Amino acid sequence: MKQVVAGFFQAVNERRLEDLPRHVAADVVDHNKIIFGEPDEPGAAFEGFRQQLAAFGEFAMRVDALVAEGDTVVARVAAIGRHTGFHPRMPQPTGRSFEVEQMWWFTVAGERITEIRAVSDRLGMFVQAGWDWPEVA
């Protein structure tokens, strides 16, 4: 189980998006949405990762811990990057760096990630990246 998740993070860090289907099921359920707004349909998570990597010219997910039990793998991760590119749901690039902690909760079945939940220090990311605060309706 841990190997599947470790392979997923390695593929993201090496920007090998074509390898994501080796680690992530095509119909993966992404509860948190990579960046809010992706449609809830097969393949949406893959596009979310592609857009996220396009927004961050420098980006890495340092895995600080992996814990597995049954079909569940939990990862404590540091997301490190620089906002240099376009993303349809992010502010204009600021060129500023960030490092924030994240917790990822994966369900793994059949050697693929079938479900993703994640919590990230979005407030810390906004401050470090120099983004304006989002308006609340």
Side-chain angles (χ1 to χ4, degrees):
M1 297 294 186
K2 286 183 184 180
Q3 314 86 288
V4 172
V5 172
F8 159 76
F9 283 117
Q10 184 175 0
V12 170
N13 283 337
E14 294 173 3
R15 295 178 179 262
R16 291 184 290 109
L17 297 179
E18 68 280 1
D19 288 348
L20 286 183
R22 291 179 50 210
H23 310 287
V24 180
D27 60 349
V28 64
V29 177
D30 178 15
H31 292 282
N32 61 296
K33 310 297 182 210
I34 303 307
I35 294 291
F36 297 110
E38 291 111 60
D40 219 0
E41 60 190 31
F46 296 98
E47 178 61 13
F49 284 113
R50 187 198 65 72
Q51 289 181 2
Q52 181 117 358
L53 289 174
F56 304 118
E58 300 169 23
F59 185 75
M61 299 181 85
R62 185 185 71 226
V63 179
D64 294 328
L66 282 178
V67 178
E69 183 175 324
D71 65 353
T72 300
V73 179
V74 177
R76 183 170 53 86
V77 174
I80 306 159
R82 180 181 304 274
H83 184 204
T84 58
F86 173 78
H87 189 288
R89 290 178 299 282
M90 287 184 190
Q92 291 299 310
T94 61
R96 292 178 57 179
S97 298
F98 63 88
E99 180 172 340
V100 295
E101 188 169 73
Q102 300 179 336
M103 297 295 292
W104 291 67
W105 182 287
F106 299 96
T107 302
V108 179
E111 300 298 315
R112 301 271 187 300
I113 296 166
T114 59
E115 194 170 9
I116 302 171
R117 293 183 187 275
V119 178
S120 178
D121 178 8
R122 292 185 190 261
L123 177 60
M125 187 171 183
F126 269 69
V127 170
Q128 293 174 54
W131 295 348
D132 290 334
W133 298 110
E135 292 188 28
V136 179

